[in-house]
């Protein structure tokens, strides 16, 4: 049996648990950084899972382009489109009432121009009700970030291992070692200057993430970036134990694959033996 999920009862605040009965906003997130308060973000792709996370007090949910892999079964994030992600984002918004819902702009939906980025972001906000968007890249995406922020769209940046560039990196590898750490720091500062409200740092050395976190006034959200980030994010299928070969940075909090296997085998056995459905599951 996996150990039970740690209790959160010690630390609910306006951010961590949406105590105010309204959605978490970028102002709450900025205030959490000032207070030095750490917070969790998880991915979500459907209404029922979103409701569970929302009721557990998760303040920010990301409808990641990781949906390409965990929902649609592709082997990278590249194939999904805005049309693929809008229904998932709308479902997460409908399933939650307190979390900020961030929509990931997928590959090919923002790189060609600031105008394209704004059109994609506007679709996520108008058609799905997203509260913010995330896009990958540093200084090369500044025109997009600036246009979105000027149009009133809260933007989350994403640096380090940016999976939409997996073919440039030659695989899913740690980024920011050696000299490239200085480049990442410059990207992070440029994103902050352009107006992002938070920056995801994926698969970067813990010491670099610590320096970036200290240098920025907006929060860093780590995934494989060590313990010093202001927030941590995991793909929910990784943290719940559904993913078959999770990355080194994943901590498995539950054995969902094992529990589901157990349950569906019990159902199959009871159907075969006639135990299910019992009289209490039948109408007279
Ligand atoms: O798509 C995603 O799930 C992400 C997180 C891993 C940060 O970008």
């Amino acid at each position: 049996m996996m150990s039970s999920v740690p209790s959160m009862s010690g630390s609910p605040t306006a951010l961590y648990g949406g105590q105010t009965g309204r959605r978490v906003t970028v102002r709450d997130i900025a205030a959490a950084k000032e207070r030095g308060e750490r917070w969790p973000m998880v991915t979500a792709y459907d209404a029922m899972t979103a409701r569970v996370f929302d009721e557990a007090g998760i303040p920010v949910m990301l409808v990641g382009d990781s949906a390409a892999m965990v929902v649609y079964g592709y082997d990278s994030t590249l194939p999904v489109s805005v049309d693929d992600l809008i229904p998932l984002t709308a479902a997460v918004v409908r399933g939650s009432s307190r979390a900020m819902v961030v929509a990931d702009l997928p590959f090919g939906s923002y790189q060609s121009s600031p105008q394209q980025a704004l059109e994609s972001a506007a679709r996520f906000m108008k058609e799905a009700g997203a509260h913010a968007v995330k896009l990958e890249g540093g200084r090369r995406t500044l025109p997009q970030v600036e246009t979105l922020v000027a149009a009133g769209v809260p933007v989350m940046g994403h640096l380090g291992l940016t999976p939409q560039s997996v073919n440039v990196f030659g695989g899913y590898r740690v980024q920011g070692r050696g000299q490239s750490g200085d480049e990442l720091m410059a990207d992070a500062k440029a994103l902050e200057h352009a107006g992002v409200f938070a920056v995801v740092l994926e698969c970067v050395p813990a010491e670099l993430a610590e320096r970036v976190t200290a240098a920025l006034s907006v929060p860093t959200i780590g995934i494989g970036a060590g313990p010093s980030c202001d927030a941590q994010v995991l793909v929910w299928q990784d943290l719940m134990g559904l993913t078959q070969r999770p990355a080194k940075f994943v901590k498995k909090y539950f054995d969902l694959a094992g529990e589901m296997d157990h349950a569906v085998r019990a159902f199959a056995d009871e159907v075969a033996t006639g135990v299910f459905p019992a009289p209490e599951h039948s109408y007279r």
Side-chain angles (χ1 to χ4, degrees), residues 236 240-242 254-267:
W236 82 255
M240 295 294 179
L242 258 189
F254 189 59
D255 180 19
L256 186 56
E259 295 294 322
M260 286 177 73
D261 179 77
H262 185 72
V264 81
R265 282 172 193 272
F267 171 64

Side-chain angles (χ1 to χ4, degrees), residues 180-246:
S180 64
D182 296 339
E183 295 294 315
L184 191 145
M185 176 67 90
D187 280 335
K189 287 182 174 169
L191 284 177
E192 175 180 47
H193 190 253
V196 299
F197 71 94
V199 183
V200 171
L201 298 177
E202 178 162 354
C203 272
V204 301
E207 306 76 41
L208 174 62
E210 184 174 5
R211 284 195 287 120
V212 173
T213 301
L216 297 190
S217 59
V218 296
T220 57
I221 307 169
I223 174 161
S228 301
C229 294
D230 299 296
Q232 297 287 333
V233 55
L234 284 175
V235 170
W236 82 255
Q237 289 87 346
D238 287 350
L239 83 93
M240 295 294 179
L242 258 189
T243 309
Q244 279 185 321
R245 282 180 299 281

Side-chain angles (χ1 to χ4, degrees), residues 41 43 45 62-67 77 104 134 136 158 163 200 202 223 233-235:
M41 178 166 94
T43 63
Y45 315 93
L62 171 69
V63 186
D65 61 355
S66 49
T77 61
D104 225 354
K134 175 169 84 59
E136 296 184 4
H158 186 158
V200 171
E202 178 162 354
I223 174 161
V233 55
L234 284 175
V235 170

Side-chain angles (χ1 to χ4, degrees), residues 40-90:
M41 178 166 94
V42 293
T43 63
Y45 315 93
D46 69 274
M48 284 191 174
T49 316
R51 185 173 55 92
V52 172
F53 298 155
D54 200 55
E55 288 180 358
I58 296 293
V60 186
M61 285 189 239
L62 171 69
V63 186
D65 61 355
S66 49
M69 298 155 105
V70 300
V71 175
Y72 290 106
Y74 295 112
D75 63 3
S76 80
T77 61
L78 300 180
V80 279
S81 64
V82 172
D83 285 338
D84 291 328
L85 296 184
I86 278 184
L88 310 188
T89 308

Side-chain angles (χ1 to χ4, degrees), residues 129-149:
H131 310 112
V133 299
K134 175 169 84 59
L135 54 76
E136 296 184 4
R139 282 160 288 178
R140 66 189 157 86
T141 61
L142 288 191
Q144 281 83 342
V145 174
E146 283 163 358
T147 296
L148 291 173
V149 171

